Amino acid sequence: MSLRQRISDWAKGPWAYPVAVLIGFLEGSFIVVPMEPVFIPLMVLKRKKAWLIAALLLLGNVIGGILMYWLGALLADDVVKPLISMFDANQGFEETARKLREDGFATLFMIGITPFPFQVGTAAAGAAGYSLPLFVAAVALSRSIRFFALAFLVMLIGERANDFLKKYEVELFVGGLVLFVGFAVYLFFFS
């Protein structure tokens, strides 16, 4: 059974909403690849409830981000740094921690809306001791832009939203990367 068919089955039953929270949690914590291929079909199948799906994805994502924050804060040396090494992201982790100490809210916000690995940024925020309330605000704001923009797209064009994202996947990735690099350059040279 394909993943799309499983999502379709879940969306028809009582599990659609808990599954949305779980998908958001997994993407915010342990799964480092974007989950649009999983949750956009869920939004399409529950098109009239796409906003609710987006809110539930956001809830799960913020909870996953808080988990990574606490892992970063409590287990930086024993768990997080070995995981970061395993993914060969040491330089990114250290650079992110430095930026968080200097301008945490803006850095977390950009991490939340760009292709930068979200888990690295959230763990670095915990390891850097960044303020938890500001962390939650930055993560919730940035991730809500992502999820609610996708919900709007699904509400507007339905099934074609999935096709649109597949068609322009590279362009969207490059655009996000350019946005992230532009912001990093701004922070480095102008702040």
Side-chain angles (χ1 to χ4, degrees):
M1 179 182 288
S2 73
L3 182 58
R4 186 178 198 101
Q5 183 59 44
R6 286 179 197 227
I7 292 169
S8 177
D9 291 345
W10 288 331
K12 293 174 188 167
W15 294 103
Y17 304 122
V19 165
V21 175
L22 178 64
I23 291 168
F25 173 78
L26 290 174
E27 186 188 46
S29 56
F30 301 111
I31 298 180
V32 294
V33 296
M35 299 282 287
E36 281 87 349
V38 177
F39 63 73
I40 289 180
L42 181 59
M43 286 182 175
V44 169
L45 290 166
K46 292 282 193 182
R47 187 172 176 188
K48 293 181 180 176
K49 302 271 187 179
W51 300 115
L52 178 58
I53 297 293
L56 294 171
L57 288 164
L58 175 62
L59 173 65
N61 206 262
V62 170
I63 292 169
I66 291 170
L67 172 66
M68 295 307 291
Y69 175 95
W70 285 111
L71 284 175
L74 300 173
L75 305 171
D77 293 331
D78 298 331
V79 176
V80 174
K81 288 185 180 176
L83 282 173
I84 299 298
S85 294
M86 185 173 77
F87 289 113
D88 197 27
N90 289 325
Q91 183 177 355
F93 180 83
E94 294 301 326
E95 180 67 18
T96 301
R98 182 188 63 76
K99 286 180 183 177
L100 284 166
R101 286 188 289 275
E102 294 171 6
D103 189 13
F105 190 90
T107 301
L108 280 168
F109 181 83
M110 290 305 294
I111 287 169
I113 60 171
T114 62
F116 187 86
F118 183 69
Q119 298 81 357
V120 172
T122 55
Y130 188 69
S131 163
L132 183 59
L134 289 175
F135 168 85
V136 171
V139 166
L141 181 61
S142 64
R143 299 309 259 186
S144 67
I145 291 169
R146 176 175 175 234
F147 293 126
F148 287 106
L150 290 171
F152 176 74
L153 188 61
V154 166
M155 295 287 289
L156 188 65
I157 62 176
E159 179 69 35
R160 293 176 299 173
N162 204 23
D163 298 335
F164 175 82
L165 289 173
K166 284 181 185 175
K167 182 177 180 180
Y168 295 105
E169 180 178 8
V170 172
E171 290 85 352
L172 291 169
F173 177 79
V174 170
L177 194 58
V178 167
L179 185 64
F180 181 75
V181 168
F183 182 72
V185 167
Y186 170 78
L187 285 177
F188 185 74
F189 289 110
F190 301 107
S191 63

